[in-house]
Amino acid sequence: QRSGDREQFLPGVMDIIAPDPDEGEHLLSTVDHAAICLPAGQLRPTVAFYEKVFGFSQIFEEFIEVGTQAMDSKVVQSPSGKVTFTLIEPVADREPGQIDNFLARHGGAGVQHLALLCDDIVGTVQTLENRGVKFLQTPGSYYDQLQERFASMNLQVEDLRRTNVLIDEDHWRIDGHDPDGA
């Protein structure tokens, strides 16, 4: 609820910004997915719940291993294709990692991140920063081997480093670029 002084939302915490100065500018197009961290052992029952209760279908799964840490993920999507959740659980017999840290820090399951689609990630981040949005800093080591990991990237590593943008690839595209040219 936003009531009270029009200039502030949660007084003292966050100023309400003015309307977009450029009516024709569309920075973000849609929410691609929400990533939800689950405790170990809850991935399969949660997928079954979304299938039974909401009619979602599992559309993808991936086991991710980084050194001595690992996580398992399954992606479920609504019948309309407009709602997508990436469900992630830590692998219990591996060393604790980012999912375990999230669960401990937040007292259980929850949304780790929202993935938003845009046409120009570097320009969008720069515009949002100019409007006062604060982004997390990314360690420089992340970018040092990025070109090797994603040979077909259509973005410049230095632009990503400067704006702290992380990229990933899914089963459709790499950083928004369709490798099949469709």
Side-chain angles (χ1 to χ4, degrees), residues 31 33-39 50 84-88 98-99 102-103 105-116:
V31 175
H33 69 271
I36 302 169
C37 294
L38 303 166
Y50 279 101
T84 304
F85 297 127
T86 299
L87 306 169
I88 310 163
Q98 67 168 324
I99 306 305
F102 176 92
L103 295 168
R105 203 170 35 247
H106 298 283
V111 175
Q112 181 199 42
H113 71 262
L114 294 176
L116 306 169

Side-chain angles (χ1 to χ4, degrees), residues 138-155:
T138 304
S141 59
Y142 170 83
Y143 301 99
D144 293 342
Q145 296 180 355
L146 202 55
Q147 193 70 47
E148 293 173 27
R149 287 181 49 215
F150 300 103
S152 63
M153 272 186 355
N154 63 352
L155 297 168

Side-chain angles (χ1 to χ4, degrees), residues 7-129:
E7 298 301 313
Q8 290 197 333
F9 173 65
L10 295 176
V13 177
M14 181 176 153
D15 290 335
I16 294 177
I17 61 173
D20 193 341
D22 181 356
E23 291 290 327
E25 185 178 35
H26 300 285
L27 297 175
L28 304 171
S29 58
T30 191
V31 175
D32 182 72
H33 69 271
I36 302 169
C37 294
L38 303 166
Q42 292 301 305
L43 184 60
R44 283 187 179 81
T46 302
V47 169
F49 175 82
Y50 279 101
E51 289 172 338
K52 180 180 179 184
V53 174
F54 299 113
F56 281 38
S57 299
Q58 181 179 321
I59 62 168
F60 187 72
E61 64 183 279
E62 184 176 23
F63 180 79
I64 302 162
E65 199 169 12
V66 179
T68 57
Q69 302 171 351
M71 63 181 135
D72 204 3
S73 71
K74 295 184 186 292
V75 179
V76 294
Q77 192 170 66
S78 67
S80 69
K82 293 183 179 183
V83 179
T84 304
F85 297 127
T86 299
L87 306 169
I88 310 163
E89 74 174 359
V91 175
D93 63 353
R94 297 295 185 93
E95 285 188 28
Q98 67 168 324
I99 306 305
D100 301 283
N101 294 341
F102 176 92
L103 295 168
R105 203 170 35 247
H106 298 283
V111 175
Q112 181 199 42
H113 71 262
L114 294 176
L116 306 169
L117 293 181
C118 63
D119 292 331
D120 173 16
I121 185 65
V122 172
T124 296
V125 168
Q126 289 172 330
T127 299
L128 292 174
E129 282 180 333

